[in-house]
Amino acid sequence: MNQDQKEKRICQHCGRPFSWRKKWEKVWDEIKYCSQKCRSESKRSVHRRYEEGIIELLRQRNPHQSICPSEVARAIHTDESEWRLAMEPVRQAARRLAHRGEVRILQKGNEVSPSCFKGPIRLQKR
């Protein structure tokens, strides 16, 4: 396999980039997830609820306003410990939506790459 065929892909669950691996050589066209964990987690309906929650909260705001991922987690989970545990799945949902072009991920008012942001973020309609 040449260098051009060893492209990066975006995991359909977590939204992070992953690269070609030798063990995937024969099935690279079928690979959608970066790991077995992401493959199994993607089948859970709660992850679709996070995407729907982001879209719904953004729909309620002005087009130029943004939301914090914690607002989505708190809207779905009322218990303090539950919404805190939901923060990473909400950020993963934001990555997926950003890769599809539905939302923008902002840090300090500037759009950042959905693949490599770290730290606090805000979400805005595209």
Side-chain angles (χ1 to χ4, degrees), residues 15-114:
R16 291 190 170 101
F18 64 96
S19 299
W20 179 89
R21 296 180 189 161
K22 177 73 173 159
K23 68 180 183 177
W24 292 336
E25 186 171 26
K26 294 180 181 176
V27 293
W28 179 239
D29 294 334
E30 301 166 19
I31 301 295
K32 298 177 184 177
Y33 306 102
C34 64
S35 66
Q36 184 62 38
K37 180 180 178 190
C38 280
R39 181 194 325 253
S40 62
E41 285 283 317
S42 70
K43 294 174 179 34
R44 294 177 58 198
S45 63
V46 69
H47 297 291
R48 285 188 291 282
R49 272 190 17 213
Y50 295 139
E51 289 180 16
E52 292 165 0
I54 291 169
I55 298 298
E56 183 57 34
L57 280 176
L58 287 172
R59 194 175 293 134
Q60 296 171 8
R61 304 280 171 97
N62 270 336
H64 301 292
Q65 287 183 317
S66 62
I67 63 169
C68 179
S70 66
E71 294 176 61
V72 177
R74 287 178 178 165
I76 294 172
H77 302 284
T78 55
D79 184 68
E80 175 85 15
S81 62
E82 287 180 11
W83 77 258
R84 288 188 182 280
L85 291 174
M87 284 301 295
E88 184 55 31
V90 171
R91 291 164 66 95
Q92 290 173 350
R95 282 187 190 98
R96 290 190 300 271
L97 291 170
H99 282 297
R100 291 197 304 248
E102 297 180 44
V103 301
R104 295 173 59 209
I105 298 176
L106 308 172
Q107 282 186 320
K108 298 181 182 178
N110 299 315
E111 188 169 2
V112 296
S113 168

